[in-house]
Amino acid sequence: MTEGLRALAVDDLPPALDELCRLLREAPEVAEVVAASDSLSALRTLQSDRFDVVFLDISMPGLDGMELASLLAKMSEPPVIVFVTAYEQHAVQAYDIGAVDYLLKPVRAERLSAALDRVTRLLATEDVAEPVPAQPDAMVALPVETAGRTRYVRRSEVLFVEAHGDYVRLNTRGGVHVVRMPLSRLEEYWEGAGFVRVHRSFLLSLDAVRELRSDSAGALNAHTDAGDVPVSRRHARDLRERLLDNARQAESTHSRGRG
């Protein structure tokens, strides 16, 4: 990595492509920048040459950026993918594919620098001769876009998730963050990491539960540091069993540590 990154920039809009190339050439981490004005040109370039990273627009005629990224993931030595787009709603799909970052246009130099830092660290720690597959743990953090800024909310920060139509609200000790994705999709990724469905509209971290409470009407609620979460009758027994198993595992781990 001492010689710098070889980057391919792909965008069908000439002004956007020129600006991205300019920013990349000004970045100290980048040694060479090649431009492609459409996905097919980019694919031909990638088949004949090797690049460390591809900065890829999503909305392009013909083969779009998502489709191109899916093809690149099947290469024996795939480049790292960073999506660059004007639309934030593709973020979840982008991380599913295995993108390392997701930049919103107009791209700011500091955000590009952060993306390049992620690329550099990934290439320094991974065997780049092996494909980097898209895995469920790509959801270990979710990008939250606010006023042109991207913040990554780590799964470990989230105490519970509430569904709101096409969006979910990630409830943390520090506040609430809104992400566009269905609750059922997030459940698929996080159920193996200690999150359980306790209500049709709520996903709960087992580690976040301080106690279970019954209100005056007999309804069950799970108390967390970010508020109470309703537990439906159909999920109550499963939650109690999961909490008990969680406590036993924690005690077993603690006992081994003392031994």
Side-chain angles (χ1 to χ4, degrees), residues 8-254:
L8 176 65
V10 188
D11 199 311
D12 65 310
L13 299 177
L17 182 59
D18 291 344
E19 176 64 7
L20 179 57
C21 288
R22 181 187 68 80
L23 290 171
L24 285 169
R25 291 187 178 110
E26 291 177 355
E29 302 92 339
V30 178
E32 182 181 357
V33 181
V34 174
S37 59
D38 59 73
S39 291
L40 292 179
S41 297
L43 188 56
R44 286 193 293 268
T45 300
L46 287 159
Q47 288 172 337
S48 61
D49 202 354
R50 179 173 174 176
F51 293 85
D52 298 301
V53 57
V54 177
F55 286 82
L56 183 57
D57 185 30
I58 291 178
S59 298
M60 292 185 288
L63 191 71
D64 68 26
M66 290 293 181
E67 293 168 329
L68 176 58
S70 296
L71 290 176
L72 300 185
K74 299 175 183 178
M75 296 174 63
S76 60
E77 298 183 17
V80 177
I81 299 295
V82 175
F83 282 108
V84 184
T85 178
Y87 307 100
E88 66 179 63
Q89 66 264 30
H90 300 295
V92 172
Q93 186 182 358
Y95 285 100
D96 282 354
I97 290 175
V100 74
D101 212 335
Y102 186 92
L103 306 182
L104 287 180
K105 298 178 181 178
V107 178
R108 295 178 292 112
E110 56 267 35
R111 270 297 284 124
L112 180 63
S113 178
L116 288 168
D117 180 62
R118 289 171 63 86
V119 172
T120 301
R121 285 188 284 113
L122 177 64
L123 293 175
T125 57
E126 297 285 342
D127 180 3
V128 294
E130 292 296 326
V132 181
Q135 298 177 347
D137 226 33
M139 288 287 191
V140 72
L142 292 177
V144 177
E145 300 282 351
T146 306
R149 294 178 176 271
T150 303
R151 180 193 170 179
Y152 290 89
V153 178
R154 295 190 300 273
R155 183 175 59 204
S156 58
E157 298 178 61
V158 179
L159 305 185
F160 65 90
V161 185
E162 182 180 1
H164 277 266
D166 293 334
Y167 294 80
V168 291
R169 293 163 56 92
L170 308 176
N171 291 266
T172 72
R173 290 182 179 86
V176 179
H177 309 278
V178 179
V179 176
R180 185 183 177 91
M181 70 179 302
L183 185 67
S184 58
R185 184 70 177 282
L186 192 59
E187 182 184 9
E188 291 176 15
Y189 282 93
W190 284 9
E191 64 179 352
F195 281 78
V196 296
R197 181 72 77 98
V198 295
H199 185 278
R200 66 180 181 180
S201 299
F202 287 89
L203 192 63
L204 174 67
S205 168
L206 292 172
D207 290 337
V209 179
R210 296 291 180 231
E211 62 182 12
L212 297 180
R213 299 173 175 175
S214 295
D215 60 22
S216 57
L220 187 66
N221 292 280
H223 179 63
T224 78
D225 291 342
D228 288 348
V229 179
V231 181
S232 67
R233 294 182 185 277
R234 62 177 293 214
H235 290 104
R237 180 176 178 179
D238 179 61
L239 175 61
R240 293 180 189 278
E241 292 176 351
R242 294 287 295 273
L243 286 171
L244 183 58
D245 288 342
N246 210 39
R248 286 170 176 162
Q249 290 174 13
E251 178 61 26
S252 176
T253 301
H254 181 64

